[in-house]
Amino acid sequence: MKDRTRVLVLMAFVALAGCKRATPDGALQGFDPGPTPDQFRQGEEVFDAHCATCHGSHAVGTDRGPPLVHQIYEPSHHADEAFQRAVTFGVQAHHWNFGSMQPVEGVTREDVTEIIGYVRW
């Protein structure tokens, strides 16, 4: 039993060592998803053009907007429609202290669907 406990503790330390750390503004440090698969490249392009200024490269967050690669934005907490509505109508700040998000002009529902695929990847 002692050996099993040691193995479990060691596994926990290894897992924690690989965790990404969030800065005080919520941005992730050291997050690198690797090359974007072809099926998500359009979403990445639209995200980079319309969202990255606030939400950061690879959606890791900045001092202007929260990281979207965060458990708060998992489908179990924010369904895809929440992203659609945020882009269309804006959203009042409720999880973070970045201020409210304004609607994003020129981004279609189809664009947001591509963005969602990219961010969820």
Side-chain angles (χ1 to χ4, degrees):
M1 192 65 146
K2 280 185 174 182
D3 288 336
R4 182 171 183 226
T5 302
R6 285 184 187 150
V7 168
L8 290 173
V9 169
L10 179 61
M11 288 173 58
F13 278 118
V14 169
L16 288 173
C19 289
K20 305 304 177 208
R21 304 286 187 241
T23 62
D25 61 12
L28 299 178
Q29 295 175 337
F31 179 76
D32 180 7
T36 304
D38 289 343
Q39 70 206 59
F40 303 117
R41 288 214 177 110
Q42 182 178 350
E44 179 181 37
E45 289 173 14
V46 178
F47 180 90
D48 287 348
H50 297 279
C51 311
T53 300
C54 293
H55 293 289
S57 177
H58 304 297
V60 300
T62 70
D63 61 351
R64 296 182 62 195
L68 299 178
V69 287
H70 188 281
Q71 68 184 20
I72 285 177
Y73 297 104
E74 289 180 357
S76 62
H77 194 266
H78 279 85
D80 292 355
E81 188 59 27
F83 287 88
Q84 293 284 357
R85 294 181 59 77
V87 170
T88 302
F89 303 111
V91 64
Q92 281 195 310
H94 58 286
H95 289 301
W96 308 93
N97 294 319
F98 294 100
S100 296
M101 177 180 155
Q102 298 301 310
V104 182
E105 298 293 323
V107 178
T108 66
R109 282 190 67 84
E110 292 77 21
D111 290 336
V112 177
T113 298
E114 293 293 333
I115 291 168
I116 293 166
Y118 168 66
V119 170
R120 300 248 193 255
W121 159 74

